[in-house]
Amino acid sequence: MGRYDTDPFEALTGPFYARRDSVTGQMVCAFRAEKKHMNGGGFMHGGCMVTFADYAIFMIADKELEGVGSVTASLNAEFVDSASVGDLIEARGEVVRAGGSMVFVRGMVTTSSRPILNFSAIIKKTRRA
């Protein structure tokens, strides 16, 4: 899996990885849950899950965002279940629609094929500085 290292916050909270599935062509994002990703109850912190989903939307929409800047305009998430230290956390999704200025994405974060977070988002394309 490749690593996308240009976001300092994601580098701090991850590390997160992404690769394109050679069979399906779908982007797969992943990280291994560590103690630093847990809340006081010993389960994965909701903020960690949403941060990972925010990372994943840009990886999922990589082709639609090629050559442009982009920011998260909206991110919705529903917590479905929890994860623990040592779990492999994965995200997969799809681009629902890509227009001239916005890209709509939806997906699921899982561990051991068990859903833990459902997400949908809107990415706003921007001009590079």
Side-chain angles (χ1 to χ4, degrees):
M1 283 202 161
R3 188 155 170 219
Y4 173 78
D5 272 339
T6 63
D7 188 301
F9 184 73
E10 289 167 354
L12 175 68
T13 56
F16 301 141
Y17 301 90
R19 70 170 172 78
R20 191 161 301 282
D21 185 292
S22 61
V23 176
T24 66
Q26 186 179 42
M27 188 62 78
V28 180
C29 303
F31 74 103
R32 183 68 66 180
E34 300 176 28
K35 185 174 178 169
K36 71 178 182 176
H37 300 127
M38 303 299 129
N39 62 23
F43 300 104
M44 183 164 287
H45 194 287
C48 178
M49 287 191 216
V50 174
T51 297
F52 180 56
D54 188 60
Y55 165 84
I57 65 174
F58 290 91
M59 300 300 102
I60 292 164
D62 68 331
K63 291 179 180 177
E64 291 78 8
L65 299 173
E66 196 171 319
V68 299
S70 53
V71 296
T72 307
S74 175
L75 177 60
N76 299 296
E78 292 82 39
F79 300 98
V80 179
D81 206 344
S82 60
S84 301
V85 171
D87 288 348
L88 177 63
I89 311 301
E90 294 183 313
R92 289 177 167 82
E94 65 181 339
V95 172
V96 177
R97 181 165 191 237
S101 64
M102 293 193 188
V103 180
F104 297 81
V105 180
R106 67 178 170 202
M108 184 78 64
V109 177
T110 61
T111 184
S112 299
S113 300
R114 180 173 47 86
I116 60 174
L117 182 83
N118 179 63
F119 62 87
S120 61
I122 302 169
I123 300 171
K124 171 74 174 144
K125 294 179 184 179
T126 62
R127 287 187 220 136
R128 291 197 184 259

